[in-house]
Amino acid sequence: MQRISSSAPIGVPRLRIAVRDNGELRLLCVPDRAIAEVARSLRPGPWVAHVSGGTPLAALDPHVERFSVHPLQTLTLARGPEQLDGAWGAVTAESDDARARALWLAETLGLRPFALADDKRASYHAGAAIASNFLVTLYRTASQLFEDAGAPPEALVPLMERTIENDFDLTGPISRGDWETVERHRSALRGSGFEQAYEALVEVTRA
């Protein structure tokens, strides 16, 4: 397993795919919506894999020699391969042979692999999206509140980092049952786009 060919999106709005249909493994690094289309365009034979977190292996039909490896990390075009340093990787496979190849790919990429059942992908990917995407939403909202208060938004970063370092040990007014403070938060957020989200998060946090 030394050669890898990849497929990548190169056109918008109609997705056009540049495919090198050779090698021992065709690794589909395309948007989720394009995986099935690209898979159908490939000749059967060599192994086929995708790197999606939420897409089931059935998207790789009609190929039977298939698997997936999802790097559990947020990636940006502004940075390089060091973004995978320390990241975990979800491995989904339907046979021992496929699992061995998936583990090889994950380890080659420097990932810490773990098994993910194909029918659990939606739950897994929802968890990943909540942890990463909603963190951005929370930071942007908190930053706006800080700016409104005349406080520096960058001061939030050490707070968020320490919360992670403390193994997400809950502190603050909800953990103390300080509902008067929570009510003041509600007043500050009244009429904002985050008011309903705050109420939902309070209920989930206090549960």
Side-chain angles (χ1 to χ4, degrees):
M1 290 180 288
Q2 296 179 346
R3 297 176 296 166
I4 303 176
S5 63
S6 63
S7 306
I10 59 173
V12 178
R14 175 169 173 75
L15 189 64
R16 293 177 295 158
I17 306 296
V19 176
R20 289 182 295 164
D21 193 3
N22 53 29
E24 299 176 22
L25 168 63
R26 283 80 57 85
L27 184 62
L28 308 188
C29 303
V30 300
D32 290 11
R33 68 182 184 277
I35 291 175
E37 177 186 351
V38 176
R40 288 193 300 268
S41 74
L42 298 174
R43 62 184 175 86
W47 287 85
V48 178
H50 69 61
V51 294
S52 167
T55 304
L57 291 180
L60 295 175
D61 288 344
H63 304 277
V64 294
E65 293 188 323
R66 64 194 188 186
F67 61 85
S68 75
V69 174
H70 176 243
L72 183 57
Q73 187 56 279
T74 178
L75 303 173
T76 172
L77 293 176
R79 299 181 60 185
E82 80 283 350
Q83 294 178 87
L84 292 179
D85 292 350
W88 293 69
V91 168
T92 304
E94 298 169 311
S95 68
D96 290 341
D97 196 8
R99 188 170 299 103
R101 291 170 184 269
L103 289 172
W104 166 83
L105 178 59
E107 291 166 359
T108 298
L109 294 174
L111 302 174
R112 302 167 63 183
F114 62 92
L116 175 65
D118 199 41
D119 62 354
K120 299 297 183 182
R121 300 181 76 88
S123 294
Y124 158 78
H125 201 251
I130 289 170
S132 179
N133 302 160
F134 292 169
L135 181 62
V136 176
T137 303
L138 291 172
Y139 176 75
R140 288 175 176 172
T141 301
S143 293
Q144 184 60 58
L145 290 167
F146 260 45
E147 288 179 358
D148 293 345
E154 57 270 25
L156 289 164
V157 176
L159 172 65
M160 299 173 79
E161 291 176 339
R162 184 55 54 84
T163 300
I164 295 173
E165 292 169 357
N166 288 346
D167 294 327
F168 301 96
D169 187 22
L170 183 65
T171 62
I174 295 177
S175 68
R176 298 191 299 267
D178 184 358
W179 302 114
E180 291 183 6
T181 297
V182 171
E183 189 56 42
R184 286 195 288 271
H185 293 174
R186 290 184 172 121
S187 296
L189 290 166
R190 194 155 293 132
S192 73
F194 199 73
E195 181 179 6
Q196 292 183 339
Y198 181 81
E199 290 296 338
L201 288 171
V202 167
E203 291 306 312
V204 173
T205 302
R206 71 188 295 185

